[in-house]
Amino acid sequence: MRRTRPAAVLAAVTLALTAACSPGSSAAPGAGQPVSGGSLTWAVETEPITFNPHQYAQAKARLLVWNTFEALLTHDDKGGYLPWLATGYETSPDGKTYTFRLRTDVSFTDGTTFDAAAVKANVDQFAVEGYNPQVQAVQLRHLDRVEVVDPATVAFHLEQPDVLILDFLSSPQGAQVSPKSLKEAKNLKAGGPELAGTGPFILDRYTAGQEVHFTKNPAYQWAPANAGHTGPAYLDEITYRFLKESSVRVGALTSGQVQVIEGVPATDEALITGNDQLTFARGLNSGSAYSYYFNIAHAPFDDIRVRRAFREAVDVDAVLQGVYRGSATRAWSVIGPTSPFYDRGLEKTYGGDAAEANRLLDEAGWTTRDADGFRTKDGKRLTVRLVQSAPFVRDRRDVLAQAVQAAVKQSAGIDLNVALVDQGTATQALADGAYEVFDNSRADTDAGAALNLLLHSAGAINRTGVKDPELDRLLEEGQAGGDQAARNGTYQRVQRLTVTDQALILPLYAPADQVAAAATVGGLGFEPTAGVPGSAYNLWLAR
């Protein structure tokens, strides 16, 4: 097989391990050797807004996707691609055709055969208007057509070279759903028990607001080479309980109500690490850093001096220390530090200078203050709005927003108005332009996908309003590929343009996942490259 390495070879995911196992490794101290059978309960921070992998948008839901669904490719621990439902692929000399050879022993859990026609049906579904315009606009932007060469061979024909097609085919959005489900599901976008995949588990029960339940797929025999074992999953069943409050999750673990939790706040880590009956692990996510994006489409952030002033008004290190107690990794760029594209030259080049923030605001005309101490100009308060969508709030980001709110008021007299709202309200506010700050992070394995969504003038989640031909050209150049050095250079210019030259972004921290478990749980780990918790396929319970 001729296997093309991705143009962006991600550095090995940084793991801070206290006592945990990566996929395929030996168990935690009390777990012993892998055994089959048993039921496990895992408390998670975030309830998915959808169980359809094509609609995947929450990094916290990724571990659930891979229980039921699988993709043509997966990642190794160096950012390369490994076969999964494909056995290999070839790239044409002009970089415009990717031909995949498929496994011939795979079936969906509804009995439908997995073949080239199924792959085509899944990709063609994205062409349905409104199905997932974000993927259609970025990862599938240059896709011309999908050709069924024969039942075991499928070809992706591109209008021009585009390395992000491989990122798509290894991502949750590129996961394979039974063509029967695509046709017959009553609520395709929401997903759930109606959607059949090829994965090691079957989603058979979902109770909104409470839990989702999976049972073992006894016919499963096609795990990728780095999965940790072969054959069906060890566990007979697994239940994920939705517990939003971190204290409730930790309490459920320490009391034995659940065996695994994710999303452990720094304030509670000592409860885990100080207990020899529990294990703890942390993994940095890939993709983009958690950042505040400034909306330059209207005042006051249409003035670069105000954007720079906001950034200087925040001592990010102090804010992160206050909220995360030293467990957060400071971000200096829109790209996360585990990416090979990350520009370390941006470190310590801005931020935390209150005197400079005040100088810039004076220069911009915000020279007076009201009775509450907020800056004003022509009788109007310097107010900027951050609207947070509740289903996407993780890692105490609502608490972080309050800390930033206090910092910018104290340092520079800026009024940051923070609203935590439901998804519909947040979506409407964004559509109406009723915001000045947009918060976001993405766990894309290739950071180029995140940058195109967030910063290209046609990006589906470009909330800055920036429309810069040079920036668009660079993003398109990075998407087209080339060798590693070329992509590195391109994305470094993107970072300098958006972070340094235009001050469009305030990077805050590199997202990470924390997993704690009873010592009797074996097989816990993080996805190679992505750095997020792995699926339940390799988990077992000691007897």
Side-chain angles (χ1 to χ4, degrees):
M1 173 182 81
R2 175 182 169 226
R3 193 155 53 91
T4 304
R5 302 288 291 181
V9 180
L10 219 60
V13 176
T14 301
L15 296 179
L17 298 178
T18 303
C21 315
S22 61
S25 69
S26 59
Q33 293 303 306
V35 292
S36 295
S39 303
L40 184 145
T41 302
W42 182 323
V44 294
E45 179 179 11
T46 302
E47 180 174 1
I49 56 177
T50 173
F51 289 95
N52 180 336
H54 298 166
Q55 304 297 319
Y56 162 81
Q58 298 159 289
K60 286 280 192 176
R62 188 177 175 112
L63 76 167
L64 304 180
V65 171
W66 296 134
N67 278 346
T68 307
F69 302 98
E70 302 175 300
L72 299 191
L73 302 172
T74 189
H75 284 272
D76 63 23
D77 61 2
K78 295 180 176 59
Y81 294 106
L82 291 175
W84 195 350
L85 294 180
T87 62
Y89 70 90
E90 295 180 351
T91 310
S92 64
D94 63 3
K96 294 168 63 175
T97 299
Y98 289 83
T99 302
F100 288 82
R101 296 183 298 281
L102 309 177
R103 295 187 66 123
T104 57
D105 58 347
V106 178
S107 295
F108 292 97
T109 55
D110 63 2
T112 304
T113 299
F114 168 76
D115 58 14
V119 175
K120 178 175 170 56
N122 273 265
V123 180
D124 286 351
Q125 182 66 41
F126 284 89
V128 175
E129 185 175 357
Y131 186 65
N132 190 330
Q134 293 184 10
V135 170
Q136 188 73 358
V138 178
Q139 291 99 323
L140 298 179
R141 178 182 179 188
H142 297 128
L143 179 66
D144 178 33
R145 61 190 173 89
V146 179
E147 176 192 4
V148 176
V149 178
D150 60 50
T153 311
V154 62
F156 290 75
H157 298 282
L158 309 178
E159 295 172 344
Q160 63 186 65
D162 185 346
V163 296
L164 292 186
I165 191 68
L166 294 176
D167 182 71
F168 167 73
L169 292 172
S170 63
S171 73
Q173 293 97 335
Q176 297 297 297
V177 178
S178 166
K180 185 173 185 287
S181 297
L182 295 176
K183 291 179 181 178
E184 298 179 5
K186 294 178 182 177
N187 192 340
L188 177 58
K189 276 197 167 185
E194 287 188 302
L195 269 60
T198 63
F201 289 94
I202 300 168
L203 194 168
D204 63 351
R205 186 175 72 247
Y206 167 55
T207 305
Q210 297 183 35
E211 64 184 34
V212 60
H213 181 266
F214 296 83
T215 57
K216 177 191 295 189
N217 174 7
Y220 188 74
Q221 294 290 341
W222 39 86
N226 63 345
H229 71 104
T230 59
Y234 295 126
L235 295 171
D236 290 332
E237 58 181 348
I238 182 168
T239 301
Y240 295 88
R241 292 177 58 191
F242 308 130
L243 300 180
K244 179 66 177 175
E245 296 298 324
S246 59
S247 60
V248 175
R249 290 193 302 278
V250 173
L253 176 65
T254 56
S255 65
Q257 298 176 60
V258 304
Q259 291 78 51
V260 185
I261 65 172
E262 57 85 27
V264 181
T267 51
D268 290 331
E269 281 187 17
L271 294 174
I272 309 298
T273 58
N275 187 332
D276 61 7
Q277 298 302 307
L278 302 175
T279 66
F280 177 79
R282 179 185 293 112
L284 283 181
N285 299 171
S286 63
S288 61
Y290 177 67
S291 305
Y292 285 177
Y293 295 78
F294 301 136
N295 182 2
I296 67 172
H298 58 251
F301 285 144
D302 57 343
D303 188 332
I304 191 172
R305 295 169 296 186
V306 180
R307 302 198 296 272
R308 286 181 170 150
F310 189 100
R311 295 200 317 187
E312 294 300 329
V314 185
D315 183 340
V316 174
D317 288 320
V319 167
L320 295 179
Q321 178 63 30
V323 177
Y324 300 112
R325 308 289 180 87
S327 66
T329 299
R330 168 76 186 268
W332 290 95
S333 177
V334 60
I335 295 178
T338 61
S339 171
F341 304 141
Y342 176 64
D343 185 355
R344 297 191 180 279
L346 294 174
E347 294 180 1
K348 304 184 186 304
T349 59
Y350 63 88
D353 187 339
E356 177 66 4
N358 284 284
R359 185 194 70 78
L360 286 164
L361 291 177
D362 287 342
E363 183 181 303
W366 296 91
T367 55
T368 55
R369 296 192 184 233
D370 62 19
D372 295 318
F374 293 112
R375 285 181 174 264
T376 60
K377 179 180 180 181
D378 299 327
K380 183 179 180 180
R381 177 182 286 187
L382 179 51
T383 298
V384 293
R385 297 163 292 178
L386 167 62
V387 181
Q388 295 185 305
S389 177
F392 290 90
V393 172
R394 54 173 285 193
D395 306 339
R396 305 181 76 213
R397 290 176 179 177
D398 50 343
V399 178
L400 176 59
Q402 294 168 19
V404 174
Q405 179 184 58
V408 296
K409 177 184 180 181
Q410 181 177 355
S411 296
I414 300 171
D415 179 19
L416 174 61
N417 185 297
V418 181
L420 180 63
V421 299
D422 61 83
Q423 185 186 7
T425 301
T427 300
Q428 190 60 53
L430 293 173
D432 294 343
Y435 69 96
E436 285 72 45
V437 182
F438 170 68
D439 66 328
N440 183 270
S441 67
R442 291 185 58 84
D444 300 276
T445 49
D446 187 319
L451 297 181
N452 273 276
L453 279 166
L454 290 160
L455 298 172
H456 195 282
S457 60
I461 52 174
N462 177 348
R463 307 301 186 191
T464 65
V466 64
K467 296 185 183 301
D468 184 327
E470 174 61 10
L471 178 57
D472 287 350
R473 185 192 68 77
L474 289 170
L475 291 170
E476 290 162 9
E477 181 180 288
Q479 183 170 358
D483 61 26
Q484 177 73 6
R487 289 193 87 201
N488 283 349
T490 296
Y491 286 127
Q492 287 200 0
R493 291 196 294 276
V494 167
Q495 291 167 85
R496 296 294 174 121
L497 184 61
T498 57
V499 178
T500 301
D501 298 348
Q502 297 187 16
L504 297 173
I505 304 157
L506 170 59
L508 292 168
Y509 72 92
D513 279 290
Q514 312 85 26
V515 177
T520 52
V521 177
L524 278 169
F526 296 87
E527 277 190 51
T529 298
V532 297
S535 76
Y537 174 66
N538 206 39
L539 299 186
W540 74 86
L541 276 172
R543 292 181 180 174

